[in-house]
Amino acid sequence: MRHQHGPVAPVLLDGDVPAWLVLGYRELLHVTGSPQLYARDPRRWNAWDRIPPDWPLLPLFAYQPSMLFAEGQEHRRRAGAVSDALSQIDPFELRRECERIADRLIDTFAGTGEADLAAQYAAPIPLLAVAKMCGMSDAGAMTLVRDMGIAFDGGADALEAFARVRAAVVQLVDSRRVHPGHDMTSRLLGHAAALTDDEIVNDIVVVMNAGQLPTSTWIGNTIRLMLTDDRFALALSGGRNSIGQALNEVLWEDTPTQNMAGRFATQDTYLGGQRIRAGDLLILGLAAANADAGIRPDSCADSTGNRAHMSFSHGEHRCVHPAPELAEIIARTAVEVLLDRLPDVTLAVSPDALVWRPSVWMRGLSALPVQFTPTPAPNPVSA
């Protein structure tokens, strides 16, 4: 696409809906760093008259009164409150909680000698951790794992799944208003920004969406890399520096969020040689920007320590601070505990037999089958 169209390519979404895919690193920096020209509110879209009410991608594009679609001062108010609430999370306590979650999950399959690490391990860990941050019990978090995956893939059941996610968060906010605690939801309820319950519900849904599927995919893609790439074999025999290297390399080469929706032009303009009309939709090609030869002439070069990737986006609508750091704690802890508990874990199939999820938005495996020496769990629990 880059060779044929340059750094900005015309694409069609489901149902032949036109959009622009931003492929160039510099162009992506410009779009995400120019909110006055490329705004976030999807109500600006000039193609709404072509969108049916049951469009599968509606959960990704339909306006929600959340910080995700807010602009200007309103976005700063909402995102600032979420950032403040996240900043009060103790990273050491988060790591201990993630270790507990990881151990409990491994206990359910450690004695079998085999597992699907995508479904049984990588998928539940981030949402269970985020649910704990928000004050939710473990009981409802596993259902949220399934429903968020359905909603994010944009299939026929996406709208119903998204409605179930929101209903669960409404119940959480109602509970925390009556019984506040030391959690993110309670902090948002008491924040000086004076957020309404509806604003808090919508912003927690954003945090859960952003924290679960991308992070679980990051974990799965990192485990795959470490099981298929000899450069990271040291991690499987007790080393730890290579885990950080693998996590960073995945953000460059197999970043979980491949494409992100979106930005909307506020006026006619030009970008990457293309004429962009007011109201046109631009899809952020995060993976394409990471692979841009203009900034990475040697795609095989060692990326250790280079964190200039676009995996957390850029500009005022990038992942709020300190969300990327918290996600890395979750991902790194998940990989470390797995290798400590199952040091001889290997793929149960050929690397070529692994199947990627059918999504243009997220790059993750449909399944990650592994095998290992069965070990009895110290405290076996029911799956």
Side-chain angles (χ1 to χ4, degrees):
M1 295 174 75
R2 201 192 314 270
H3 177 74
Q4 184 175 355
H5 299 286
V8 180
V11 296
L12 293 174
L13 302 178
D14 189 288
D16 292 341
V17 178
W20 298 101
L21 178 60
V22 184
L23 305 166
Y25 188 94
R26 293 181 179 86
E27 287 72 20
L28 196 59
L29 282 177
H30 175 63
V31 169
T32 53
S34 306
Q36 296 80 15
L37 186 56
Y38 302 101
R40 189 65 185 91
D41 192 330
R43 292 175 293 186
R44 301 175 183 272
W45 197 7
N46 56 21
W48 277 118
D49 58 345
R50 307 178 59 168
I51 305 301
D54 59 346
W55 194 45
L57 298 182
L58 208 55
L60 296 179
F61 292 94
Y63 173 78
Q64 296 285 335
S66 72
M67 66 174 180
L68 190 65
F69 298 127
E71 298 176 353
Q73 180 56 39
E74 177 62 11
H75 176 264
R76 289 187 286 274
R77 180 179 76 93
R78 304 279 291 276
V82 171
S83 178
D84 289 344
L86 289 174
S87 295
Q88 295 183 55
I89 294 172
D90 184 339
F92 300 103
E93 180 59 33
L94 174 60
R95 178 178 173 83
R96 286 193 293 270
E97 181 64 24
C98 290
E99 289 174 344
R100 181 188 70 85
I101 294 169
D103 275 326
R104 288 181 59 195
L105 290 171
I106 293 173
D107 286 347
T108 65
F109 57 75
T112 67
E114 59 183 17
D116 174 4
L117 292 182
Q120 294 176 262
Y121 190 69
I125 287 178
L127 188 52
L128 290 170
V130 173
K132 185 71 172 180
M133 294 180 201
C134 294
M136 183 180 288
S137 67
D138 290 351
M142 296 301 287
T143 301
L144 288 179
V145 171
R146 181 196 64 202
D147 285 339
M148 285 187 174
I150 294 172
F152 222 106
D153 280 342
D157 299 328
L159 294 178
E160 292 182 3
F162 185 78
R164 291 193 297 269
V165 169
R166 195 179 191 284
V169 178
V170 168
Q171 185 177 9
L172 170 65
V173 173
D174 289 343
S175 172
R176 276 295 176 256
R177 182 168 287 284
V178 177
H179 303 290
H182 301 288
D183 53 73
M184 178 180 171
T185 304
S186 299
R187 295 184 193 113
L188 289 175
L189 284 165
H191 196 274
L195 302 174
T196 66
D197 283 11
D198 194 56
E199 288 175 334
I200 293 172
V201 166
N202 284 296
D203 289 347
I204 288 178
V205 169
V206 169
V207 171
M208 287 185 168
N209 270 302
Q212 194 271 328
L213 195 54
T215 309
S216 68
T217 304
W218 190 12
I219 295 169
N221 290 358
T222 301
I223 295 172
R224 181 199 69 86
L225 178 66
M226 301 185 79
L227 294 178
T228 58
D229 194 318
D230 291 339
R231 290 175 300 159
F232 300 102
L234 178 62
L236 301 180
S237 59
R240 285 296 172 260
N241 289 336
S242 52
I243 292 180
Q245 295 171 19
L247 285 166
N248 196 54
E249 180 161 332
V250 164
L251 293 179
W252 278 107
E253 306 297 341
D254 274 328
T255 187
T257 306
Q258 299 277 287
N259 302 295
M260 179 180 290
R263 297 293 186 271
F264 304 87
T266 61
Q267 64 187 53
D268 290 358
T269 185
Y270 285 92
L271 179 70
Q274 304 283 7
R275 179 66 183 272
I276 311 296
R277 301 289 184 178
D280 279 1
L281 165 65
L282 293 92
I283 304 296
L284 308 183
L286 305 183
N290 285 348
D292 188 343
I295 59 112
R296 295 184 70 201
D298 182 2
S299 61
C300 297
D302 185 6
S303 57
T304 302
N306 184 352
R307 294 179 177 266
H309 53 73
M310 296 295 292
S311 297
F312 297 112
S313 191
H314 173 73
E316 68 175 31
H317 271 92
R318 65 163 287 142
C319 290
V320 298
H321 173 79
E325 290 79 7
L326 298 176
E328 184 169 357
I329 291 173
I330 297 171
R332 181 164 189 144
T333 304
V335 177
E336 288 181 352
V337 172
L338 177 73
L339 299 182
D340 285 340
R341 290 285 304 274
L342 309 174
D344 64 347
V345 62
T346 60
L347 279 180
V349 298
S350 164
D352 295 336
L354 294 172
V355 178
W356 296 94
R357 296 179 61 169
S359 172
V360 300
W361 310 103
M362 300 295 298
R363 178 167 171 80
L365 294 168
S366 296
L368 183 54
V370 298
Q371 56 193 11
F372 47 86
T373 301
T375 58
N379 299 292
V381 295
S382 170

